[in-house]
Amino acid sequence: MRLNFNAFFRFSCVLCQSSLKQGANGLCSTCRRKIQYYSYCAGCGMPLPYIALHCGYCRQNKFIWDRMVVIGRYNPPLSYLIHRFKFQKQFWLDRTLASLMLLAVYEARRTQGLSFPQAIIPVPLHHFRQWQRGYNQADLLAKIIARWLEIPCLSHIVKRVKHTPTQRGLTATARRKNLKNAFEIELSASFHYQRVALLDDVITTGSTLNEIAKLLRQSGVKEIQVWGLARV
C-alpha cells in the first residue's frame, strides 16, 4: 500500500486557506501581492515617491539609528497577520512573518546598498508582559532570521527594566516620557559587534527603538539598523 504523503502534509495559506504546493512561508502568491509595499525613506521609513537614504522628516526628528527596513504599511493583510501573531497567541506565524522580513532586507540590500548586520537584537518585553503573552514576538522572529543569515541573535543584551503602560494611543512626546529609563544594556568586554539590527514588530514614532539605539551608541556600536514588520 502506497501512502499519500500529500494527504498527511497539506499546506494552506495562512490567510485565504488555499492549497499550497510548498508550505515554507505559509502565504500564497495572491495574498502576498495584497500586502501594501511602498517606497520609503531608508532613514526613518516614511513614505516617499522614490527610495532615498534620508528625508526631511528623519532629519527633523534626529533618530539615533542609521537605517530602517520595513516590509510594508500597517494595513491589511499585513496588519491582520501581525495582530494574530502578537495578540492572539498564533506564534506559529513567526516563520511566515520572518520570511517576509528577510525578503524586505534583501530588497533593501539590492536597492539601497544595505549591509547585513553582524548580529540581531530583538526589542525586549518587560518580564511581566512577556509572562502575560507567553512569548516575545520580536525574539521569535529574530531567532529565525538570525539562523537564516547565520549570525547571532543577542536576546539578552537589552533588558526592559521598567513596566510601562502600553504605547498605543500616546503622542510622540508622551511615548518618550513613558520610555525614560525603561531599558538597560548588558554588554560584556568581549562584545565586538559594530553593526547590529534592532528588530521590532510595528514601528510608530520610533521612540522605543530610539531609546535602545541611544544605549547601543553609547556602548560603542557604530551602525544601528532598525528592522520592522510594518510602519504606521
Side-chain angles (χ1 to χ4, degrees), residues 17-38:
Q17 304 304 313
S18 63
S19 180
L20 298 175
K21 292 183 179 179
Q22 294 182 340
N25 58 35
L27 274 180
C28 68
S29 58
T30 300
C31 288
R32 185 188 294 272
R33 285 194 296 269
K34 291 179 181 178
I35 294 175
Q36 189 177 342
Y37 304 104
Y38 69 109

Side-chain angles (χ1 to χ4, degrees), residues 8-22:
F8 287 97
F9 301 103
R10 295 181 63 182
F11 299 110
S12 59
C13 175
V14 296
L15 285 172
C16 69
Q17 304 304 313
S18 63
S19 180
L20 298 175
K21 292 183 179 179
Q22 294 182 340

Side-chain angles (χ1 to χ4, degrees), residues 10 29 42 55 76 91 96 102 112 122 152 155 168 171 203-204:
R10 295 181 63 182
S29 58
C55 71
F91 55 85
T96 297
L102 187 61
Q112 304 168 14
S155 300
R168 292 193 300 275
T171 64
I203 300 172
T204 307

